């Protein structure tokens, strides 16, 4: 009798705990999921969201739509997700811009990169490349630096993300030159103006720069990382090209609003990790210039903390004043 009573009590307690969970946690997902991207269509983040979302929608059994909210250095998108219902149906697919660099590039950020969100998983990393308008009289980074020194302030570089901005400013600082920056809502818009001759240079992810190089529309000068990218092995690193100490890479990750129930986070995490580890998905990501990578929510939280410090050091070294 005691054993039966204990079993009944245990079952009753389990039932009570289950009932205490939000309905969304028990039935997640029960409607369309939105992937909020802080950059325009055609950006690397947009490409990743669509590639991963295509697979994850099958695993989760619900449609996933990608909504682009470009502008304000990703703040619009990040705020939107931070304020959304914490039920796992609104997911921020973002980068080090909103969860690493903004904290040093801006005097005030209207969200907390750690406490305003629940981390889900890392999704990948990407190398940046420096490309030029064909009218720029330089076939190498060394020639570019020499030309810029003779013509201070006359060259311009466009940027549509924190990574692309910092990359350009690092070139200014480490190269001892003065290239004026021109902000855009997203990198694809900067690429359009580069091809149109409105700006001289763009330092952006391989997803948006490499196609222009391969099509012969814009010469590629170098990549941002310490090692050459296997996706653009013919492009030298900035260090190889004559700028010692240059090393910069961008990353992607998924977040949901703070207080999203753990069962929801866990289920979303599982679906995203499964998607990124899928061979076909990985091939698509690599083709888009993105190197797949995943993590646990706990690892991502610790990573964001370290990245905020890392980007603070990079921004300071680049001489960028918060705005």
């Amino acid at each position: 009798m005691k054993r039966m009573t204990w079993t009944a009590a245990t079952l009753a307690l389990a039932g009570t705990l289950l009932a205490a969970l939000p309905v969304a946690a028990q039935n997640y997902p029960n409607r369309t999921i939105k992937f909020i991207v802080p950059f325009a269509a055609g950006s690397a983040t947009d490409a990743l969201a669509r590639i991963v979302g295509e697979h994850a929608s099958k695993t989760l059994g619900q449609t996933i739509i990608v909504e682009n909210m470009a502008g304000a250095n990703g703040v619009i998108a990040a705020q939107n997700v931070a304020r959304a219902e914490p039920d796992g149906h609104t997911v921020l697919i973002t980068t080090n811009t909103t969860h690493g660099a903004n904290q040093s590039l801006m005097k005030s950020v209207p969200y907390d990169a750690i406490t305003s969100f629940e981390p889900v998983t890392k999704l990948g990393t990407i190398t940046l490349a420096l490309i030029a308008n064909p009218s720029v009289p330089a076939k190498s980074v060394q020639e570019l630096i020499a030309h810029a020194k003779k013509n201070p302030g006359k060259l311009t570089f466009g940027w549509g993300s924190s990574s692309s901005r910092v990359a350009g400013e690092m070139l200014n600082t480490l190269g001892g030159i003065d290239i004026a920056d021109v902000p855009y809502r997203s990198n694809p818009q900067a690429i359009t103006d580069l091809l149109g001759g409105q700006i001289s240079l763009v330092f952006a992810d391989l997803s948006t720069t490499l196609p222009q190089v391969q099509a012969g529309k814009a010469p590629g000068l170098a990549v941002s990382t310490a090692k050459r990218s296997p996706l653009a092995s013919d492009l030298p690193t900035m260090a190889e090209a004559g700028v010692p100490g240059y090393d910069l890479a961008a990353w992607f990750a998924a977040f949901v609003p703070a207080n999203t129930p753990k069962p929801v986070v866990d289920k979303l995490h599982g679906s995203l990790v499964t998607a990124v580890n899928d061979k076909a998905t990985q091939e698509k990501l690599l083709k888009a210039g993105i190197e797949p990578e995943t993590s646990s929510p706990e690892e991502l939280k610790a990573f964001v903390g370290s990245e905020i410090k890392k980007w603070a050091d990079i921004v300071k070294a680049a001489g960028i004043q918060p705005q």
Side-chain angles (χ1 to χ4, degrees):
M1 178 64 69
K2 288 183 179 180
R3 179 175 297 177
M4 290 179 64
T5 302
W6 173 254
T7 302
T10 302
L11 290 174
L13 176 61
T16 300
L17 291 174
L18 182 61
L21 285 174
V23 174
Q26 298 179 43
N27 302 321
Y28 177 78
N30 53 34
R31 64 178 186 276
T32 297
I33 297 170
K34 290 194 298 183
F35 277 6
I36 305 298
V37 173
F39 306 107
S43 64
T45 317
D46 176 74
L48 178 141
R50 295 179 190 280
I51 292 169
V52 173
E54 180 182 5
H55 188 286
S57 66
K58 299 174 184 177
T59 305
L60 293 169
Q62 287 288 347
T63 298
I64 293 177
I65 61 172
V66 175
E67 187 171 340
N68 302 91
M69 292 188 179
N73 237 24
V75 168
I76 297 172
Q79 271 192 303
N80 180 278
V81 175
R83 295 171 177 173
E85 189 71 24
D87 58 11
H89 291 91
T90 305
V91 183
L92 181 65
I93 304 296
T94 191
T95 71
N96 46 272
T97 289
T98 62
H99 282 65
N102 273 357
Q103 287 65 34
S104 295
L105 289 173
M106 305 176 70
K107 291 181 179 179
S108 177
V109 181
Y111 61 86
D112 189 293
I114 296 178
T115 62
S116 297
F117 303 89
E118 300 293 342
V120 182
T121 180
K122 288 183 71 175
L123 297 169
T125 58
I126 193 167
T127 299
L128 281 68
L130 174 62
I131 63 174
N133 179 274
S135 66
V136 176
K139 295 183 179 179
S140 69
V141 173
Q142 287 185 325
E143 289 182 2
L144 174 65
I145 291 175
H147 177 71
K149 286 183 176 180
K150 293 179 181 178
N151 300 274
K154 292 186 177 181
L155 294 178
T156 55
F157 77 87
W159 59 271
S161 71
S162 293
S163 297
S164 57
R165 180 189 178 187
V166 172
E169 296 293 1
M170 282 180 66
L171 175 59
N172 273 336
T173 300
L174 297 178
I177 55 180
D178 179 18
I179 301 177
D181 74 291
V182 181
Y184 289 86
R185 290 172 63 85
S186 199
N187 284 329
Q189 296 172 328
I191 294 292
T192 297
D193 275 8
L194 174 87
L195 299 179
Q198 282 88 354
I199 55 176
S200 313
L201 307 159
V202 168
F203 222 140
D205 53 81
L206 287 178
S207 293
T208 51
T209 54
L210 197 55
Q212 315 309 323
V213 177
Q214 294 171 335
K217 295 180 179 180
L221 301 182
V223 293
S224 64
T225 45
K227 295 182 179 180
R228 292 197 183 199
S229 169
L231 302 171
S233 57
D234 56 330
L235 291 182
T237 66
M238 289 293 289
E240 291 174 333
V243 189
Y246 199 108
D247 182 18
L248 184 72
W251 51 265
F252 307 92
F255 299 85
V256 289
N259 300 316
T260 298
K262 189 175 185 302
V264 171
V265 174
D266 289 343
K267 189 168 185 179
L268 181 60
H269 172 269
S271 69
L272 292 178
V273 169
T274 298
V276 173
N277 289 336
D278 175 71
K279 185 177 179 180
T281 300
Q282 290 191 343
E283 289 176 354
K284 292 177 182 178
L285 290 173
L286 289 170
K287 189 175 180 180
I290 301 164
E291 298 178 36
E293 182 180 358
T294 61
S295 70
S296 68
E298 294 75 21
E299 289 170 337
L300 177 55
K301 183 176 182 178
F303 178 72
V304 170
S306 65
E307 281 291 293
I308 290 174
K309 182 181 183 305
K310 170 187 170 182
W311 281 88
D313 293 339
I314 292 175
V315 169
K316 183 178 180 180
I320 303 174
Q321 295 300 316
Q323 297 178 351

